[in-house]
Amino acid sequence: FRFIKEFTGFSPNQLMLEARLCIAYQLLASNPSMTIAQVSIQVGFDNAGYFSVVFKKRFGRNPSEIRNFGDE
């Protein structure tokens, strides 16, 4: 725990969440045909609503904005 926290600045749980959200961002931007629910399941979230809340908190934009408009 201390090594990961010191090395990355994140706790192990935060690091996993960050990795999952970054993968989700890439999936949404590169594959707009995938639904938000499909992306959330693909990266390991059971609840698409919770995924959307966490995604918006991290990136400041809703997943649907990324999916519809890509990475502008």
Side-chain angles (χ1 to χ4, degrees), residues 1-2 4 9 18-19 28 33 35-37 39 54-55 57 59 63-64 68 70 72:
F1 178 85
R2 285 182 281 169
I4 291 173
E18 179 70 16
L28 289 166
S33 64
T35 66
I36 293 168
V39 171
V54 174
F55 189 93
K57 183 177 178 183
F59 295 110
S64 60
N68 293 335
E72 297 177 341

Side-chain angles (χ1 to χ4, degrees), residues 2-72:
R2 285 182 281 169
F3 176 76
I4 291 173
K5 179 78 171 176
E6 184 179 321
F7 187 70
T8 64
F10 294 113
S11 72
N13 287 341
Q14 291 170 326
L15 184 61
M16 289 301 299
L17 180 62
E18 179 70 16
R20 291 164 60 194
L21 289 172
C22 287
I23 292 168
Y25 191 101
Q26 292 173 347
L27 285 172
L28 289 166
S30 65
N31 194 355
S33 64
M34 288 183 77
T35 66
I36 293 168
Q38 289 172 328
V39 171
S40 69
I41 290 169
Q42 182 96 17
V43 296
F45 286 86
D46 293 330
N47 184 320
Y50 175 68
F51 166 74
S52 294
V53 169
V54 174
F55 189 93
K56 182 167 184 168
K57 183 177 178 183
R58 167 60 179 89
F59 295 110
R61 296 167 70 185
N62 290 320
S64 60
E65 293 178 78
I66 306 302
R67 189 188 70 200
N68 293 335
F69 304 111
D71 191 20
E72 297 177 341

